Amino acid sequence: MIFTSPREKGDRGDLHPCYQPLWTLVGGGQFNLADSGKPISCLMPKSATHVKENVSSFQPAENKITLESGSTLNYDALVVAAGLELNYAGIDGAREALKEDAKVCSNYSPAYVLKTFPAIKSFKGGKAVFTFPPMPIKCPGAPQKIMWIANDIWKKDSSVGEYQLEFNTFLPVIFGVPKYAEGLMKLVESENVNLNRQHTLVEVDHLSSLAKFKKEDGEIYQTNYDFLHITPNQRPLGIFREDESQLTDAAGWVSVNEKSLQHSVYENVFGVGDCTSIQTSKTAAAITSQHAILCDNLNKFFNKEKLAEDYDGYTSCPLVTSQNTCIMAEFGFGGEVMESTFLNQGKNRYSMYLTKRAAIPFIYWQLMMRGLWAGPKPLKPLTNPFNWN
Ligand SMILES: Cc1cc2nc3c(=O)[nH]c(=O)nc-3n(C[C@H](O)[C@H](O)[C@H](O)COP(=O)(O)OP(=O)(O)OC[C@H]3O[C@@H](n4cnc5c(N)ncnc54)[C@H](O)[C@@H]3O)c2cc1C
């Protein structure tokens, strides 16, 4: 087994993968950024050879990948799990604003997430603007989770004067699954959020504290901000955008059968996670289910058996709605609700917040990383025996 990863070093002098779902709570002042990562040496299976180098291109017809140094590696089977690229540069002035304006922050990158809580604490009233870029993005709930956390902090802080929340989203709805959108719309109304649908951030002029959005009809809407949380544009990695190897679809996502995770052309190539063409919400939760199917199908591939087509699109988005409540969205392909518990998960619940804050990180580091977690489905006969949704 050979595993490649980038050369970058983390602040503990080791390669440092992160559990990104925690960054919502880092931005909300509930966790330290360092607590979201672990040195990769702790996680690497003993049987694996770790090549600390980026892949620069794929030659699937020759069962080969090329590394940045120019050397090549051959494989019998290849799993592509390279994530996606954050494209802050796709929004004019966003990088400058994130560097120079203390009022501008973004939970999506470790480079900027530490700006979020100080910006929340410095806000003393006025207009707080939150953005949601064109789809697909990872964790489509995260752009609004930070709004609800910030709102809860500001409501309880007597030094904060009058303020207006504004959520500008590329989407025509607050959330893509009606069951969860219903609970979120109640919040939008009770918290008097100015919800601008089909408004995409295109420019930030931090010298004038101005954010500009393109509306569906092409017109520009602009507003001043006293706090701005940016969710960046997102796209396939450069290695896929420039890929002439047929690994990707026209948009640059690794093209796989979304039920078996096998590549649509090369039968010894598999894809998992954010880099793939799978039509479900890009989340770590989705990967918990995908990786179980991936492992099973890799074994089947090596044993020359028929692959299982079992992935149902399971994904989950813990929609944190305050500093201690959460709507736990769980759904599959086509937005089919797939809740793991018998509770109505469309409601705000403290128990679901604890699940997001404590249980899921534990599952991620202690179970999933050791191959002991295949998503919540196997437990469902116990936790939701009558399949209430
Ligand atoms: C703020 C935020 C909140 C989120 N909240 C949630 C949540 O509540 N629940 C949830 O389930 N998900 C959440 N997510 C989404 C979740 O973190 C991602 O969907 C998940 O990390 C995707 O995993 P991945 O392995 O596909 O990609 P990544 O985690 O991005 O990993 C890709 C890996 O590939 C490596 N790589 C890249 N290029 C190369 C190359 N050329 N060669 C070799 N290696 C390479 C990268 O360095 C990285 O280690 C959130 C994400 C963010 C940013």
Side-chain angles (χ1 to χ4, degrees):
M1 188 187 337
I2 296 176
F3 179 93
T4 75
S5 72
R7 263 179 220 278
E8 302 150 31
K9 299 261 177 176
D11 53 11
R12 273 180 272 180
D14 196 352
L15 287 161
H16 202 178
C18 282
Y19 177 62
Q20 298 165 37
L22 221 51
W23 294 349
T24 293
L25 303 184
V26 172
Q30 300 183 343
F31 270 94
N32 294 320
L33 179 59
D35 294 337
S36 70
K38 283 196 199 302
I40 205 163
S41 51
C42 304
L43 307 169
M44 194 58 58
K46 287 199 172 58
S47 54
T49 303
H50 183 188
V51 179
K52 295 180 185 173
E53 227 187 298
N54 267 323
V55 176
S56 63
S57 63
F58 300 86
Q59 293 79 43
E62 299 160 57
N63 301 324
K64 212 166 74 175
I65 56 175
T66 302
L67 305 175
E68 268 179 351
S69 60
S71 59
T72 56
L73 292 173
N74 292 298
Y75 58 81
D76 298 309
L78 173 72
V79 176
V80 187
L84 53 67
E85 185 178 294
L86 302 178
N87 181 20
Y88 286 98
I91 303 163
D92 282 347
R95 285 183 304 181
E96 293 77 3
L98 282 160
K99 270 194 204 122
E100 288 159 26
D101 187 346
K103 301 191 295 296
V104 182
C105 55
S106 177
N107 282 355
Y108 269 74
S109 162
Y112 307 124
V113 63
L114 289 175
K115 289 190 73 192
T116 304
F117 192 57
I120 291 174
K121 294 303 279 180
S122 305
F123 180 77
K124 293 298 164 216
K127 194 165 197 184
V129 177
F130 299 81
T131 75
F132 185 119
M135 286 287 270
I137 65 166
K138 53 179 150 186
C139 196
Q144 65 177 286
K145 295 178 201 177
I146 192 60
M147 174 169 76
W148 303 124
I149 294 174
N151 181 44
D152 195 31
I153 294 171
W154 293 331
K155 277 206 307 194
K156 291 172 179 159
D157 182 346
S158 57
S159 72
V160 176
E162 284 205 2
Y163 65 92
Q164 171 73 53
L165 297 173
E166 182 169 295
F167 191 64
N168 290 279
T169 171
F170 165 81
L171 296 176
V173 288
I174 184 82
F175 195 72
V177 181
K179 170 166 184 173
Y180 307 112
E182 197 182 307
L184 294 166
M185 279 311 290
K186 282 187 190 149
L187 266 178
V188 165
E189 279 152 28
S190 68
E191 303 308 302
N192 195 25
V193 177
N194 184 13
L195 173 63
N196 289 330
R197 299 172 174 90
Q198 295 175 303
H199 280 52
T200 305
L201 181 65
V202 288
E203 188 181 338
V204 184
D205 174 359
H206 73 277
L207 297 174
S208 315
S209 298
L210 206 60
K212 296 183 187 171
F213 298 85
K214 196 170 193 177
K215 298 200 287 185
E216 203 207 1
D217 59 12
E219 275 192 19
I220 296 293
Y221 158 77
Q222 65 179 44
T223 182
N224 281 96
Y225 62 81
D226 299 287
F227 173 100
L228 175 64
H229 180 271
I230 298 177
T231 300
N233 296 353
Q234 297 172 40
R235 61 184 180 181
L237 293 171
I239 46 169
F240 298 126
R241 295 199 310 276
E242 292 139 22
D243 179 23
E244 288 160 10
S245 64
Q246 297 172 32
L247 272 193
T248 60
D249 62 14
W253 303 108
V254 176
S255 173
V256 294
N257 172 328
E258 56 185 16
K259 292 187 174 167
S260 71
L261 310 185
Q262 186 180 39
H263 192 264
S264 49
V265 177
Y266 300 100
E267 61 174 21
N268 61 343
V269 177
F270 294 78
V272 68
D274 290 359
C275 68
T276 65
S277 58
I278 300 172
Q279 293 292 311
T280 195
S281 222
K282 294 182 185 297
T283 65
I287 297 169
T288 64
S289 292
Q290 290 171 11
H291 94 102
I293 287 150
L294 172 76
C295 294
D296 186 33
N297 276 344
L298 269 174
N299 277 329
K300 287 195 159 89
F301 169 76
F302 282 121
N303 292 328
K304 299 192 177 5
E305 293 168 21
K306 188 175 179 314
L307 301 196
E309 297 205 342
D310 284 347
Y311 183 51
D312 53 14
Y314 176 83
T315 187
S316 167
C317 191
L319 293 153
V320 180
T321 47
S322 75
Q323 290 177 95
N324 52 19
T325 54
C326 177
I327 290 174
M328 185 62 81
E330 287 183 289
F331 52 98
F333 288 134
E336 186 192 343
V337 174
M338 294 180 174
E339 295 184 350
S340 296
T341 73
F342 58 82
L343 301 169
N344 176 359
Q345 295 180 198
K347 285 192 169 171
N348 279 308
R349 291 181 185 278
Y350 179 57
S351 58
M352 292 301 160
Y353 169 78
L354 285 182
T355 305
K356 153 86 184 162
R357 185 190 165 109
I360 302 177
F362 172 84
I363 288 169
Y364 181 80
W365 292 117
Q366 304 303 329
L367 303 181
M368 185 181 156
M369 286 295 165
R370 296 177 183 169
L372 302 173
W373 181 255
K377 202 173 175 181
L379 294 180
K380 219 170 153 182
L382 291 173
T383 53
N384 189 4
F386 304 110
N387 204 17
W388 288 340
N389 277 314

